[in-house]
Amino acid sequence: MTPAPEPEGGHEHVAPHGGALVELGEELAHLELVHDPTTGTLTAYVLDGEAEQAVRVSASALELQVTPPGGTASTASLPAKANALTGEAVGDSSQFVGVVAALKGVSTFTGVVRQLNVRGKSFTDVPFSVPSEEH
């Protein structure tokens, strides 16, 4: 069986949780953002370069700046989520979750990942949009 050709300009990744993918570095890792507009809950998953496997990071929270359409930028702090099933703990987790009041009732927004260390590299002020414009 011949593999399907890659789309022009590179290959695509599928967000495993149905969210928006943010590329970190040149395919070093991804951040997947899943937003529930009803509650304003924002969940971030740190994933590998193929957006398939969870990658634990040492952060106790993920700091973002988010801007709803026509709105003002605000800071969002998503605490790390512990998971007894996977053994993840605050400070050793791949998942971050928080309610962001500014995102309640909106389905699109833009933002910036303030700072995140993944696999020995530091990423600062990485822009994103939900839904994704890429991938």
Side-chain angles (χ1 to χ4, degrees):
M1 179 184 267
T2 305
E6 291 183 356
E8 196 142 332
H11 61 280
E12 290 191 34
H13 299 290
V14 176
H17 304 96
L21 288 175
V22 181
E23 184 178 345
L24 301 173
E26 294 183 17
E27 303 291 334
L28 177 74
H30 287 85
L31 188 65
E32 181 183 5
L33 298 172
V34 179
H35 172 237
D36 179 348
T38 304
T39 63
T41 300
L42 186 58
T43 304
Y45 299 92
V46 183
L47 304 169
D48 66 5
E50 295 300 317
E52 295 173 346
Q53 300 294 319
V55 175
R56 295 181 188 192
V57 297
S58 61
S60 59
L62 177 62
E63 301 296 325
L64 307 172
Q65 179 180 340
V66 297
T67 307
T72 306
S74 61
T75 299
S77 182
L78 308 180
K81 182 172 169 122
N83 183 325
L85 183 63
T86 63
E88 293 188 21
V90 173
D92 183 34
S93 181
S94 63
Q95 185 178 358
F96 300 82
V97 182
V99 175
V100 183
L103 300 181
K104 187 173 181 177
V106 302
S107 58
T108 64
F109 60 95
T110 58
V112 174
V113 178
R114 284 294 185 203
Q115 197 279 328
L116 181 62
N117 293 320
V118 181
R119 296 184 164 174
K121 290 200 65 139
S122 181
F123 300 96
T124 306
D125 295 332
V126 179
F128 65 84
S129 62
V130 173
S132 309
E133 293 177 358
E134 298 180 4
H135 291 271

